[in-house]
């Protein structure tokens, strides 16, 4: 019998604790495609942990996959010495709380101590708790901004950063040695609590996080008097409690929460794709902002590590602001504010990903700040903070960002943080309001000063089991036969990040094309979804010219991805 059919039969005949999984398995009996999709491969554990569609089988997110992954993690933790402790948090997704408690039970059964949040809390809270308790590892149950049918499991190292490649490889090897249905040790949650192995994260840890965030304020007190009017949406995720707490603490009281998106709901009924990068997720918030005349609308994604905004324009309309633009606005605000208040450290360092806008380089240079570019993935920004910390210079770090709406201003966590992002965006908006300006006006001033940069991202999807092979083939083709021109614009330099000797960075599946005239195109397969992303940077005398150039380049790339 074919292996995946054997696995299906074994699951079908097992006495599964989750009856919904058994029902699902019965419903696909005889359907080879559906069985193959669930059992032909297993979800692969990597530096971003696991992510997949909820359901039955080794290629789905369920309690058995979580148990197997956690047993693999436990085996690794037991070799690490230290406190033998793991921190756990979870967001609002379907079964996030179940998976978090399941992980706690496996760890406890292995004699490993657990500190788990007593209610959903976001990624930055997990990163903070991992560091606060001196844990060996952290687990965040989330699928970030994926559609509602997904869930996932992010694994963190003792530094509060997403797990390194080396550690993830060891954990994955241990997972593969663990039988998915019977191989994980288990202990009841209450039993684990009684034994003192499982405990809830304490108020001391929660308050220390809020204190650390507020300590990074650039102009403390500005929000108390500026009269900022805000609309906020947690997109039915984990941001509601921490974001509202921090905004109220800094003095913002005029906050309207989008009622349909206020409370945790893993079905995300009003935004099938709960991603603050896309208009549909922010539509209800924008409608509310227009009705109320708010200065600013902001939304955090389900695990509250990313934040998107819409700013009010002088004519009363609202404009969505890209992650690159918010990153540049924050970098400019932090640099100018710290210089003005005398809190800028000597030899200040900011960090961005290689796919984020070169406009940030120009802004950093203007303020005399060193800007480091790193591979995509916030763990590489965390790695730069760790290097500064190891040299006793962690205070030099002032800001890090990715174009995908992730921001961090301080070394207290090692992942992107929508709580501090929300605080600083609101503080920045309040400051500009207090001097008779606005976010929109400041953005235009930045463009006037440095040039009209345009940064856009296009994605090409490759679904199904053959999708990854097709993506690999495209990337191989681009390396074997590099394009001489894109959209009629000559390529003057190609940088292949699979060659660390050329880039000075770890190897990565990224290609950067510098074009005649200064434009740039980056091609990168997504690390978490079956898609290839293309990043465009164009520079024009105005937006129309920059957009026309981008359109021409995008048209030139289409045949490669068809």
């Amino acid at each position: 019998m074919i292996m995946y059919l054997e696995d299906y039969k074994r699951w079908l005949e097992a006495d599964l604790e989750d009856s919904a999984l058994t029902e699902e398995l019965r419903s696909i009996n005889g359907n080879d495609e559906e069985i193959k999709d669930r059992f032909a491969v297993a979800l692969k554990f990597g530096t971003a942990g696991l992510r997949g569609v909820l359901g039955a089988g080794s290629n789905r997110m369920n309690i058995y996959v979580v148990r197997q992954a956690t047993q693999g993690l436990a085996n690794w933790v037991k070799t690490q010495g230290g406190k033998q402790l793991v921190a756990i948090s979870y967001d609002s997704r379907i079964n996030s709380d179940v998976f978090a408690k399941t992980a706690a039970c496996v760890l406890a059964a292995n004699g490993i101590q657990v500190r788990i949040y007593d209610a959903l809390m976001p990624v930055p809270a997990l990163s903070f708790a991992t560091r606060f308790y001196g844990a060996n590892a952290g687990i965040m149950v989330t699928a970030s901004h994926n559609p509602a049918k997904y869930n996932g499991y992010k694994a963190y190292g003792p530094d509060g950063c997403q797990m390194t490649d080396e550690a993830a490889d060891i954990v994955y090897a241990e997972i593969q040695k663990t039988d998915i249905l019977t191989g994980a040790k288990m202990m009841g949650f209450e039993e684990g609590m009684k034994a003192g192995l499982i405990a809830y994260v304490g108020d001391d840890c929660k308050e220390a996080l809020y204190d650390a965030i507020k300590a990074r304020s650039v102009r403390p007190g500005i929000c108390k008097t500026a009269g900022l009017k805000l609309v906020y949406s947690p997109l039915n995720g984990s941001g509601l409690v921490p974001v509202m707490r921090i905004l109220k603490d800094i003095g913002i009281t005029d906050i309207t929460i989008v009622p349909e998106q206020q409370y945790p709901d893993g079905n995300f009924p009003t935004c099938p794709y709960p991603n603050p990068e896309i208009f549909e997720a922010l539509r209800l918030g924008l409608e509310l902002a227009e009705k109320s005349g708010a200065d600013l609308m902001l939304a955090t994604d389900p695990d509250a590590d990313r934040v998107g905004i819409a700013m009010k324009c002088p004519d009363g309309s609202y404009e969505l602001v890209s992650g690159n633009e918010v990153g540049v606005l924050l970098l400019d605000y932090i640099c100018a504010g710290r210089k003005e208040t005398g809190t800028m450290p000597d030899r200040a360092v900011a960090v961005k990903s290689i796919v984020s806008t070169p406009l940030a380089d120009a802004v950093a240079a203007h303020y005399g700040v060193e800007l480091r570019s790193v591979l995509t993935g916030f763990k590489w920004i965390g790695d730069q903070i760790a290097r500064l910390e190891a040299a006793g210079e962690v205070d030099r770090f002032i800001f890090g960002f990715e174009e995908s709406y992730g921001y961090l201003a301080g070394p207290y966590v090692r992942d992107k943080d929508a709580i501090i992002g929300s605080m600083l965006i609101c503080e920045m908006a309040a400051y500009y309001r207090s001097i008779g300006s606005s976010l929109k006006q400041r953005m235009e001033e930045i463009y006037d000063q440095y040039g009209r940069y345009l940064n856009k991202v296009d994605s090409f999807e490759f679904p199904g089991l053959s999708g990854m092979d097709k993506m690999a083939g495209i990337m191989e083709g681009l390396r074997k036969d590099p394009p001489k021109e894109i959209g009629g614009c000559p390529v003057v330099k190609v940088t292949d990040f699979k060659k660390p000797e050329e880039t000075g960075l770890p190897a990565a599946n990224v290609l950067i094309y510098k074009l005649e005239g200064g434009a740039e195109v980056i091609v990168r397969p997504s690390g978490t979804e079956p898609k290839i992303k293309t990043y465009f940077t164009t520079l024009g005398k105005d937006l129309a010219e920059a957009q026309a150039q981008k359109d021409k380049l995008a048209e030139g790339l289409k045949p490669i991805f068809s």
Side-chain angles (χ1 to χ4, degrees), residues 69 199 292 303 510 553 559:
S292 65
D303 58 345
V510 180
L553 296 174

Side-chain angles (χ1 to χ4, degrees), residues 20 37 48-49 226 242 253 300 326 333 348 362 432 458 517 553:
D37 191 39
T253 53
T300 52
V326 173
Y333 173 73
Y432 291 131
D458 290 348
L553 296 174

Side-chain angles (χ1 to χ4, degrees), residues 331-449:
L331 177 63
D332 173 71
Y333 173 73
I334 290 166
C335 290
R338 291 208 174 284
K339 277 190 175 289
E340 183 189 307
T341 57
T343 56
M344 179 72 96
D346 289 336
R347 298 183 302 130
V349 172
V351 191
K352 72 172 180 68
S353 61
I354 55 172
V355 297
S356 300
T357 180
L359 177 53
D361 298 77
V363 171
H366 173 76
Y367 289 107
V369 169
E370 179 191 346
L371 185 70
R372 300 179 180 178
S373 288
V374 296
L375 296 178
T376 307
F378 221 87
K379 66 179 180 180
W380 297 112
I381 295 176
D383 176 61
Q384 289 297 321
I385 302 171
R387 289 177 188 216
L388 289 168
E389 188 174 52
E393 300 176 341
V394 77
D395 291 340
R396 289 174 61 197
F397 174 73
I398 58 166
F399 184 58
F401 84 97
E402 288 189 318
E403 52 74 40
S404 54
Y405 295 59
Y407 317 103
L408 178 64
Y412 59 94
V413 297
R414 298 296 155 87
D415 209 335
K416 40 194 185 288
D417 178 5
I419 314 171
I420 199 167
S422 299
M423 180 188 85
L424 287 173
I425 288 164
C426 289
E427 183 187 302
M428 174 169 67
Y431 168 69
Y432 291 131
R433 192 179 195 280
S434 76
I435 61 168
S437 182
S438 66
L439 290 178
K440 173 68 173 172
Q441 188 176 325
R442 184 60 194 148
M443 194 71 243
E444 292 306 321
E445 288 166 0
I446 288 170
Y447 283 137
D448 287 344
Q449 184 173 351

